[in-house]
mmCIF file of all heavy atoms in Angstrom:
data_model
loop_
_atom_site.group_PDB
_atom_site.id
_atom_site.type_symbol
_atom_site.label_atom_id
_atom_site.label_comp_id
_atom_site.label_asym_id
_atom_site.label_seq_id
_atom_site.Cartn_x
_atom_site.Cartn_y
_atom_site.Cartn_z
ATOM 1 N N GLY A 1 -20.503 -3.071 13.636
ATOM 2 C CA GLY A 1 -19.135 -2.571 13.595
ATOM 3 C C GLY A 1 -18.954 -1.268 14.336
ATOM 4 O O GLY A 1 -17.849 -0.966 14.827
ATOM 5 N N HIS A 2 -20.015 -0.489 14.422
ATOM 6 C CA HIS A 2 -19.941 0.810 15.101
ATOM 7 C C HIS A 2 -19.457 0.655 16.546
ATOM 8 O O HIS A 2 -18.770 1.535 17.076
ATOM 9 C CB HIS A 2 -21.319 1.465 15.071
ATOM 10 C CG HIS A 2 -21.386 2.778 15.788
ATOM 11 N ND1 HIS A 2 -20.865 3.945 15.257
ATOM 12 C CD2 HIS A 2 -21.897 3.112 17.015
ATOM 13 C CE1 HIS A 2 -21.057 4.936 16.107
ATOM 14 N NE2 HIS A 2 -21.682 4.464 17.168
ATOM 15 N N TYR A 3 -19.792 -0.462 17.180
ATOM 16 C CA TYR A 3 -19.501 -0.625 18.602
ATOM 17 C C TYR A 3 -18.203 -1.382 18.872
ATOM 18 O O TYR A 3 -17.887 -1.679 20.022
ATOM 19 C CB TYR A 3 -20.681 -1.337 19.279
ATOM 20 C CG TYR A 3 -21.963 -0.548 19.166
ATOM 21 C CD1 TYR A 3 -22.929 -0.886 18.222
ATOM 22 C CD2 TYR A 3 -22.198 0.561 19.976
ATOM 23 C CE1 TYR A 3 -24.102 -0.148 18.094
ATOM 24 C CE2 TYR A 3 -23.365 1.302 19.850
ATOM 25 C CZ TYR A 3 -24.308 0.942 18.916
ATOM 26 O OH TYR A 3 -25.454 1.679 18.790
ATOM 27 N N ILE A 4 -17.469 -1.709 17.838
ATOM 28 C CA ILE A 4 -16.191 -2.422 18.026
ATOM 29 C C ILE A 4 -15.075 -1.403 18.212
ATOM 30 O O ILE A 4 -14.784 -0.606 17.311
ATOM 31 C CB ILE A 4 -15.887 -3.331 16.818
ATOM 32 C CG1 ILE A 4 -17.016 -4.348 16.616
ATOM 33 C CG2 ILE A 4 -14.545 -4.042 17.010
ATOM 34 C CD1 ILE A 4 -16.879 -5.193 15.358
ATOM 35 N N SER A 5 -14.421 -1.414 19.361
ATOM 36 C CA SER A 5 -13.381 -0.435 19.674
ATOM 37 C C SER A 5 -11.981 -0.931 19.346
ATOM 38 O O SER A 5 -11.105 -0.131 18.998
ATOM 39 C CB SER A 5 -13.455 -0.036 21.154
ATOM 40 O OG SER A 5 -14.685 0.606 21.433
ATOM 41 N N ASP A 6 -11.742 -2.235 19.485
ATOM 42 C CA ASP A 6 -10.410 -2.772 19.166
ATOM 43 C C ASP A 6 -10.149 -2.591 17.672
ATOM 44 O O ASP A 6 -10.914 -3.077 16.826
ATOM 45 C CB ASP A 6 -10.342 -4.255 19.534
ATOM 46 C CG ASP A 6 -8.999 -4.867 19.193
ATOM 47 O OD1 ASP A 6 -8.052 -4.725 19.984
ATOM 48 O OD2 ASP A 6 -8.898 -5.478 18.093
ATOM 49 N N LEU A 7 -9.060 -1.881 17.322
ATOM 50 C CA LEU A 7 -8.850 -1.494 15.932
ATOM 51 C C LEU A 7 -8.669 -2.685 15.007
ATOM 52 O O LEU A 7 -9.213 -2.707 13.892
ATOM 53 C CB LEU A 7 -7.649 -0.549 15.815
ATOM 54 C CG LEU A 7 -7.888 0.884 16.301
ATOM 55 C CD1 LEU A 7 -6.652 1.742 16.057
ATOM 56 C CD2 LEU A 7 -9.099 1.517 15.620
ATOM 57 N N ASN A 8 -7.908 -3.689 15.416
ATOM 58 C CA ASN A 8 -7.696 -4.847 14.539
ATOM 59 C C ASN A 8 -9.011 -5.561 14.255
ATOM 60 O O ASN A 8 -9.311 -5.902 13.097
ATOM 61 C CB ASN A 8 -6.688 -5.813 15.162
ATOM 62 C CG ASN A 8 -5.280 -5.259 15.156
ATOM 63 O OD1 ASN A 8 -4.903 -4.495 14.262
ATOM 64 N ND2 ASN A 8 -4.489 -5.621 16.150
ATOM 65 N N GLU A 9 -9.795 -5.772 15.294
ATOM 66 C CA GLU A 9 -11.094 -6.425 15.126
ATOM 67 C C GLU A 9 -12.026 -5.541 14.298
ATOM 68 O O GLU A 9 -12.772 -6.023 13.434
ATOM 69 C CB GLU A 9 -11.706 -6.703 16.499
ATOM 70 C CG GLU A 9 -13.037 -7.441 16.440
ATOM 71 C CD GLU A 9 -13.641 -7.658 17.826
ATOM 72 O OE1 GLU A 9 -12.949 -7.402 18.825
ATOM 73 O OE2 GLU A 9 -14.826 -8.057 17.883
ATOM 74 N N ARG A 10 -11.975 -4.253 14.558
ATOM 75 C CA ARG A 10 -12.829 -3.294 13.852
ATOM 76 C C ARG A 10 -12.522 -3.290 12.353
ATOM 77 O O ARG A 10 -13.417 -3.385 11.514
ATOM 78 C CB ARG A 10 -12.605 -1.905 14.453
ATOM 79 C CG ARG A 10 -13.440 -0.803 13.842
ATOM 80 C CD ARG A 10 -13.162 0.522 14.562
ATOM 81 N NE ARG A 10 -13.938 1.604 13.974
ATOM 82 C CZ ARG A 10 -15.215 1.869 14.256
ATOM 83 N NH1 ARG A 10 -15.862 1.096 15.123
ATOM 84 N NH2 ARG A 10 -15.848 2.868 13.680
ATOM 85 N N TYR A 11 -11.241 -3.212 12.030
ATOM 86 C CA TYR A 11 -10.856 -3.164 10.611
ATOM 87 C C TYR A 11 -11.205 -4.460 9.899
ATOM 88 O O TYR A 11 -11.673 -4.451 8.749
ATOM 89 C CB TYR A 11 -9.368 -2.864 10.477
ATOM 90 C CG TYR A 11 -8.964 -1.470 10.921
ATOM 91 C CD1 TYR A 11 -7.616 -1.130 11.086
ATOM 92 C CD2 TYR A 11 -9.916 -0.481 11.175
ATOM 93 C CE1 TYR A 11 -7.240 0.145 11.490
ATOM 94 C CE2 TYR A 11 -9.540 0.794 11.580
ATOM 95 C CZ TYR A 11 -8.202 1.090 11.736
ATOM 96 O OH TYR A 11 -7.821 2.357 12.129
ATOM 97 N N ASP A 12 -10.995 -5.610 10.546
ATOM 98 C CA ASP A 12 -11.368 -6.895 9.939
ATOM 99 C C ASP A 12 -12.864 -6.952 9.640
ATOM 100 O O ASP A 12 -13.291 -7.446 8.587
ATOM 101 C CB ASP A 12 -10.996 -8.056 10.873
ATOM 102 C CG ASP A 12 -9.512 -8.391 10.816
ATOM 103 O OD1 ASP A 12 -8.842 -7.978 9.853
ATOM 104 O OD2 ASP A 12 -9.015 -9.067 11.749
ATOM 105 N N HIS A 13 -13.645 -6.441 10.572
ATOM 106 C CA HIS A 13 -15.101 -6.442 10.398
ATOM 107 C C HIS A 13 -15.510 -5.604 9.187
ATOM 108 O O HIS A 13 -16.307 -6.053 8.342
ATOM 109 C CB HIS A 13 -15.760 -5.903 11.669
ATOM 110 C CG HIS A 13 -17.255 -5.899 11.619
ATOM 111 N ND1 HIS A 13 -18.017 -7.019 11.911
ATOM 112 C CD2 HIS A 13 -18.145 -4.917 11.290
ATOM 113 C CE1 HIS A 13 -19.299 -6.738 11.774
ATOM 114 N NE2 HIS A 13 -19.401 -5.463 11.397
ATOM 115 N N PHE A 14 -14.956 -4.412 9.064
ATOM 116 C CA PHE A 14 -15.344 -3.539 7.964
ATOM 117 C C PHE A 14 -14.773 -3.998 6.624
ATOM 118 O O PHE A 14 -15.336 -3.688 5.568
ATOM 119 C CB PHE A 14 -14.960 -2.092 8.278
ATOM 120 C CG PHE A 14 -15.926 -1.423 9.219
ATOM 121 C CD1 PHE A 14 -15.597 -1.214 10.551
ATOM 122 C CD2 PHE A 14 -17.183 -1.046 8.783
ATOM 123 C CE1 PHE A 14 -16.502 -0.619 11.425
ATOM 124 C CE2 PHE A 14 -18.095 -0.445 9.644
ATOM 125 C CZ PHE A 14 -17.756 -0.236 10.974
ATOM 126 N N ARG A 15 -13.684 -4.770 6.649
ATOM 127 C CA ARG A 15 -13.177 -5.350 5.388
ATOM 128 C C ARG A 15 -14.197 -6.308 4.781
ATOM 129 O O ARG A 15 -14.324 -6.407 3.557
ATOM 130 C CB ARG A 15 -11.853 -6.063 5.633
ATOM 131 C CG ARG A 15 -10.671 -5.128 5.883
ATOM 132 C CD ARG A 15 -9.364 -5.881 6.046
ATOM 133 N NE ARG A 15 -8.306 -4.979 6.474
ATOM 134 C CZ ARG A 15 -7.724 -5.002 7.681
ATOM 135 N NH1 ARG A 15 -8.094 -5.923 8.576
ATOM 136 N NH2 ARG A 15 -6.787 -4.128 7.990
ATOM 137 N N LYS A 16 -14.929 -7.032 5.637
ATOM 138 C CA LYS A 16 -15.961 -7.946 5.143
ATOM 139 C C LYS A 16 -17.085 -7.169 4.460
ATOM 140 O O LYS A 16 -17.629 -7.600 3.436
ATOM 141 C CB LYS A 16 -16.514 -8.771 6.303
ATOM 142 C CG LYS A 16 -15.486 -9.703 6.942
ATOM 143 C CD LYS A 16 -16.048 -10.368 8.191
ATOM 144 C CE LYS A 16 -14.977 -11.211 8.889
ATOM 145 N NZ LYS A 16 -15.464 -11.759 10.180
ATOM 146 N N ILE A 17 -17.424 -6.025 5.014
ATOM 147 C CA ILE A 17 -18.471 -5.194 4.405
ATOM 148 C C ILE A 17 -17.993 -4.640 3.065
ATOM 149 O O ILE A 17 -18.750 -4.612 2.083
ATOM 150 C CB ILE A 17 -18.855 -4.047 5.365
ATOM 151 C CG1 ILE A 17 -19.365 -4.612 6.680
ATOM 152 C CG2 ILE A 17 -19.886 -3.126 4.715
ATOM 153 C CD1 ILE A 17 -19.525 -3.587 7.781
ATOM 154 N N GLU A 18 -16.726 -4.215 3.025
ATOM 155 C CA GLU A 18 -16.170 -3.701 1.774
ATOM 156 C C GLU A 18 -16.247 -4.761 0.678
ATOM 157 O O GLU A 18 -16.527 -4.457 -0.483
ATOM 158 C CB GLU A 18 -14.726 -3.253 1.988
ATOM 159 C CG GLU A 18 -14.130 -2.544 0.786
ATOM 160 C CD GLU A 18 -12.674 -2.157 0.973
ATOM 161 O OE1 GLU A 18 -12.085 -2.483 2.031
ATOM 162 O OE2 GLU A 18 -12.104 -1.548 0.049
ATOM 163 N N ALA A 19 -16.020 -6.034 1.050
ATOM 164 C CA ALA A 19 -16.079 -7.118 0.063
ATOM 165 C C ALA A 19 -17.508 -7.329 -0.451
ATOM 166 O O ALA A 19 -17.713 -7.627 -1.635
ATOM 167 C CB ALA A 19 -15.547 -8.406 0.683
ATOM 168 N N ILE A 20 -18.499 -7.169 0.410
ATOM 169 C CA ILE A 20 -19.893 -7.355 -0.009
ATOM 170 C C ILE A 20 -20.293 -6.305 -1.042
ATOM 171 O O ILE A 20 -20.869 -6.623 -2.092
ATOM 172 C CB ILE A 20 -20.839 -7.300 1.214
ATOM 173 C CG1 ILE A 20 -20.595 -8.512 2.127
ATOM 174 C CG2 ILE A 20 -22.299 -7.253 0.756
ATOM 175 C CD1 ILE A 20 -21.358 -8.443 3.443
ATOM 176 N N VAL A 21 -19.966 -5.034 -0.772
ATOM 177 C CA VAL A 21 -20.383 -3.987 -1.713
ATOM 178 C C VAL A 21 -19.540 -4.018 -2.985
ATOM 179 O O VAL A 21 -20.012 -3.592 -4.054
ATOM 180 C CB VAL A 21 -20.349 -2.594 -1.048
ATOM 181 C CG1 VAL A 21 -21.347 -2.543 0.103
ATOM 182 C CG2 VAL A 21 -18.958 -2.218 -0.562
ATOM 183 N N TYR A 22 -18.325 -4.537 -2.878
ATOM 184 C CA TYR A 22 -17.497 -4.738 -4.078
ATOM 185 C C TYR A 22 -18.199 -5.719 -5.015
ATOM 186 O O TYR A 22 -18.173 -5.555 -6.249
ATOM 187 C CB TYR A 22 -16.133 -5.274 -3.646
ATOM 188 C CG TYR A 22 -15.241 -5.815 -4.736
ATOM 189 C CD1 TYR A 22 -14.365 -4.971 -5.426
ATOM 190 C CD2 TYR A 22 -15.220 -7.173 -5.049
ATOM 191 C CE1 TYR A 22 -13.516 -5.475 -6.407
ATOM 192 C CE2 TYR A 22 -14.380 -7.684 -6.024
ATOM 193 C CZ TYR A 22 -13.532 -6.830 -6.704
ATOM 194 O OH TYR A 22 -12.691 -7.339 -7.672
ATOM 195 N N ASP A 23 -18.836 -6.740 -4.469
ATOM 196 C CA ASP A 23 -19.545 -7.726 -5.285
ATOM 197 C C ASP A 23 -20.915 -7.224 -5.721
ATOM 198 O O ASP A 23 -21.341 -7.450 -6.863
ATOM 199 C CB ASP A 23 -19.704 -9.027 -4.497
ATOM 200 C CG ASP A 23 -20.403 -10.108 -5.295
ATOM 201 O OD1 ASP A 23 -19.826 -10.574 -6.308
ATOM 202 O OD2 ASP A 23 -21.544 -10.482 -4.932
ATOM 203 N N ASP A 24 -21.620 -6.497 -4.860
ATOM 204 C CA ASP A 24 -22.966 -6.021 -5.189
ATOM 205 C C ASP A 24 -22.953 -4.886 -6.214
ATOM 206 O O ASP A 24 -23.935 -4.701 -6.944
ATOM 207 C CB ASP A 24 -23.680 -5.548 -3.918
ATOM 208 C CG ASP A 24 -24.311 -6.695 -3.145
ATOM 209 O OD1 ASP A 24 -24.287 -7.834 -3.645
ATOM 210 O OD2 ASP A 24 -24.843 -6.451 -2.041
ATOM 211 N N LEU A 25 -21.907 -4.076 -6.192
ATOM 212 C CA LEU A 25 -21.722 -2.995 -7.169
ATOM 213 C C LEU A 25 -22.831 -1.937 -7.197
ATOM 214 O O LEU A 25 -23.267 -1.520 -8.270
ATOM 215 C CB LEU A 25 -21.539 -3.566 -8.577
ATOM 216 C CG LEU A 25 -20.239 -4.324 -8.843
ATOM 217 C CD1 LEU A 25 -20.287 -4.997 -10.208
ATOM 218 C CD2 LEU A 25 -19.051 -3.368 -8.777
ATOM 219 N N PRO A 26 -23.282 -1.457 -6.035
ATOM 220 C CA PRO A 26 -24.148 -0.262 -6.102
ATOM 221 C C PRO A 26 -23.345 0.938 -6.598
ATOM 222 O O PRO A 26 -23.895 1.850 -7.211
ATOM 223 C CB PRO A 26 -24.599 -0.072 -4.656
ATOM 224 C CG PRO A 26 -23.537 -0.750 -3.835
ATOM 225 C CD PRO A 26 -23.062 -1.896 -4.658
ATOM 226 N N THR A 27 -22.054 0.915 -6.297
ATOM 227 C CA THR A 27 -21.107 1.861 -6.885
ATOM 228 C C THR A 27 -20.045 1.041 -7.617
ATOM 229 O O THR A 27 -19.623 -0.017 -7.133
ATOM 230 C CB THR A 27 -20.433 2.742 -5.820
ATOM 231 O OG1 THR A 27 -19.706 1.918 -4.898
ATOM 232 C CG2 THR A 27 -21.452 3.558 -5.051
ATOM 233 N N ILE A 28 -19.648 1.518 -8.762
ATOM 234 C CA ILE A 28 -18.658 0.816 -9.589
ATOM 235 C C ILE A 28 -17.371 1.631 -9.529
ATOM 236 O O ILE A 28 -17.308 2.763 -10.020
ATOM 237 C CB ILE A 28 -19.170 0.672 -11.035
ATOM 238 C CG1 ILE A 28 -20.462 -0.170 -11.035
ATOM 239 C CG2 ILE A 28 -18.108 0.039 -11.926
ATOM 240 C CD1 ILE A 28 -21.224 -0.120 -12.350
ATOM 241 N N ASN A 29 -16.363 1.079 -8.865
ATOM 242 C CA ASN A 29 -15.119 1.810 -8.630
ATOM 243 C C ASN A 29 -14.249 1.793 -9.891
ATOM 244 O O ASN A 29 -14.020 0.741 -10.478
ATOM 245 C CB ASN A 29 -14.355 1.194 -7.464
ATOM 246 C CG ASN A 29 -15.217 1.079 -6.215
ATOM 247 O OD1 ASN A 29 -16.074 1.924 -5.983
ATOM 248 N ND2 ASN A 29 -14.994 0.042 -5.424
ATOM 249 N N ILE A 30 -13.773 2.961 -10.285
ATOM 250 C CA ILE A 30 -13.001 3.072 -11.523
ATOM 251 C C ILE A 30 -11.512 3.279 -11.247
ATOM 252 O O ILE A 30 -10.675 2.506 -11.713
ATOM 253 C CB ILE A 30 -13.510 4.244 -12.391
ATOM 254 C CG1 ILE A 30 -15.039 4.169 -12.565
ATOM 255 C CG2 ILE A 30 -12.804 4.237 -13.743
ATOM 256 C CD1 ILE A 30 -15.543 2.936 -13.256
ATOM 257 N N ALA A 31 -11.179 4.305 -10.483
ATOM 258 C CA ALA A 31 -9.761 4.625 -10.256
ATOM 259 C C ALA A 31 -9.596 5.406 -8.963
ATOM 260 O O ALA A 31 -10.501 6.141 -8.547
ATOM 261 C CB ALA A 31 -9.195 5.438 -11.423
ATOM 262 N N TYR A 32 -8.444 5.211 -8.326
ATOM 263 C CA TYR A 32 -8.082 6.048 -7.190
ATOM 264 C C TYR A 32 -7.492 7.341 -7.729
ATOM 265 O O TYR A 32 -6.707 7.351 -8.676
ATOM 266 C CB TYR A 32 -7.072 5.340 -6.283
ATOM 267 C CG TYR A 32 -7.569 4.019 -5.756
ATOM 268 C CD1 TYR A 32 -6.877 2.829 -6.010
ATOM 269 C CD2 TYR A 32 -8.739 3.942 -5.008
ATOM 270 C CE1 TYR A 32 -7.326 1.612 -5.527
ATOM 271 C CE2 TYR A 32 -9.208 2.720 -4.527
ATOM 272 C CZ TYR A 32 -8.497 1.567 -4.791
ATOM 273 O OH TYR A 32 -8.957 0.361 -4.320
ATOM 274 N N TYR A 33 -7.873 8.409 -7.119
ATOM 275 C CA TYR A 33 -7.560 9.753 -7.616
ATOM 276 C C TYR A 33 -6.071 10.065 -7.469
ATOM 277 O O TYR A 33 -5.443 9.732 -6.465
ATOM 278 C CB TYR A 33 -8.363 10.771 -6.813
ATOM 279 C CG TYR A 33 -8.537 12.123 -7.446
ATOM 280 C CD1 TYR A 33 -9.654 12.390 -8.230
ATOM 281 C CD2 TYR A 33 -7.623 13.143 -7.239
ATOM 282 C CE1 TYR A 33 -9.852 13.642 -8.792
ATOM 283 C CE2 TYR A 33 -7.817 14.400 -7.788
ATOM 284 C CZ TYR A 33 -8.928 14.643 -8.564
ATOM 285 O OH TYR A 33 -9.114 15.883 -9.118
ATOM 286 N N GLY A 34 -5.534 10.709 -8.472
ATOM 287 C CA GLY A 34 -4.208 11.295 -8.364
ATOM 288 C C GLY A 34 -4.345 12.794 -8.522
ATOM 289 O O GLY A 34 -5.158 13.270 -9.317
ATOM 290 N N VAL A 35 -3.600 13.546 -7.737
ATOM 291 C CA VAL A 35 -3.680 14.996 -7.821
ATOM 292 C C VAL A 35 -2.389 15.532 -8.424
ATOM 293 O O VAL A 35 -1.292 15.085 -8.069
ATOM 294 C CB VAL A 35 -3.960 15.639 -6.444
ATOM 295 C CG1 VAL A 35 -2.860 15.335 -5.445
ATOM 296 C CG2 VAL A 35 -4.165 17.140 -6.567
ATOM 297 N N ALA A 36 -2.507 16.449 -9.368
ATOM 298 C CA ALA A 36 -1.352 17.080 -10.005
ATOM 299 C C ALA A 36 -1.176 18.472 -9.411
ATOM 300 O O ALA A 36 -1.996 19.355 -9.644
ATOM 301 C CB ALA A 36 -1.547 17.160 -11.514
ATOM 302 N N ILE A 37 -0.117 18.643 -8.630
ATOM 303 C CA ILE A 37 0.195 19.936 -8.026
ATOM 304 C C ILE A 37 1.150 20.672 -8.963
ATOM 305 O O ILE A 37 2.206 20.157 -9.318
ATOM 306 C CB ILE A 37 0.864 19.769 -6.653
ATOM 307 C CG1 ILE A 37 -0.023 18.933 -5.716
ATOM 308 C CG2 ILE A 37 1.196 21.124 -6.039
ATOM 309 C CD1 ILE A 37 -1.311 19.596 -5.313
ATOM 310 N N VAL A 38 0.751 21.868 -9.392
ATOM 311 C CA VAL A 38 1.550 22.655 -10.329
ATOM 312 C C VAL A 38 2.076 23.885 -9.586
ATOM 313 O O VAL A 38 1.296 24.639 -8.999
ATOM 314 C CB VAL A 38 0.732 23.090 -11.553
ATOM 315 C CG1 VAL A 38 1.656 23.647 -12.632
ATOM 316 C CG2 VAL A 38 -0.094 21.929 -12.109
ATOM 317 N N MET A 39 3.402 24.078 -9.625
ATOM 318 C CA MET A 39 4.018 25.158 -8.862
ATOM 319 C C MET A 39 5.002 25.946 -9.711
ATOM 320 O O MET A 39 5.672 25.392 -10.587
ATOM 321 C CB MET A 39 4.763 24.594 -7.649
ATOM 322 C CG MET A 39 3.872 24.053 -6.565
ATOM 323 S SD MET A 39 4.811 23.302 -5.209
ATOM 324 C CE MET A 39 5.066 21.648 -5.872
ATOM 325 N N ASN A 40 5.097 27.218 -9.397
ATOM 326 C CA ASN A 40 6.169 28.044 -9.903
ATOM 327 C C ASN A 40 7.486 27.504 -9.336
ATOM 328 O O ASN A 40 7.542 27.045 -8.194
ATOM 329 C CB ASN A 40 5.924 29.489 -9.425
ATOM 330 C CG ASN A 40 6.900 30.478 -9.981
ATOM 331 O OD1 ASN A 40 8.110 30.327 -9.831
ATOM 332 N ND2 ASN A 40 6.385 31.526 -10.596
ATOM 333 N N ASP A 41 8.559 27.558 -10.116
ATOM 334 C CA ASP A 41 9.845 27.036 -9.645
ATOM 335 C C ASP A 41 10.394 27.805 -8.454
ATOM 336 O O ASP A 41 11.307 27.322 -7.763
ATOM 337 C CB ASP A 41 10.883 27.057 -10.779
ATOM 338 C CG ASP A 41 10.687 25.924 -11.775
ATOM 339 O OD1 ASP A 41 9.899 25.005 -11.473
ATOM 340 O OD2 ASP A 41 11.296 25.965 -12.862
ATOM 341 N N ASP A 42 9.852 28.997 -8.199
ATOM 342 C CA ASP A 42 10.285 29.759 -7.029
ATOM 343 C C ASP A 42 9.718 29.179 -5.734
ATOM 344 O O ASP A 42 10.168 29.542 -4.646
ATOM 345 C CB ASP A 42 9.851 31.223 -7.157
ATOM 346 C CG ASP A 42 10.652 31.984 -8.207
ATOM 347 O OD1 ASP A 42 11.799 31.559 -8.485
ATOM 348 O OD2 ASP A 42 10.143 32.973 -8.755
#
């Protein structure tokens, strides 16, 4: 995938890799992060 320059082809290729590690679970994904920005009303 490193050598694929066409973006559509490149992204399709890496989506297949994402699916493999999703099934293998070396990392177990829990949640996408949300950030709470706290500001003074001024």
Side-chain angles (χ1 to χ4, degrees):
H2 178 76
Y3 299 101
I4 302 174
S5 297
D6 179 82
L7 286 183
N8 289 329
E9 183 182 350
R10 181 178 179 82
Y11 292 168
D12 281 343
H13 182 83
F14 281 105
R15 287 183 188 111
K16 295 173 185 174
I17 301 169
E18 187 183 3
I20 293 173
V21 297
Y22 168 88
D23 181 66
D24 277 354
L25 291 172
T27 60
I28 298 167
N29 307 327
I30 310 299
Y32 302 121
Y33 200 92
V35 61
I37 304 293
V38 192
M39 289 176 275
N40 185 304
D41 283 348
D42 288 335

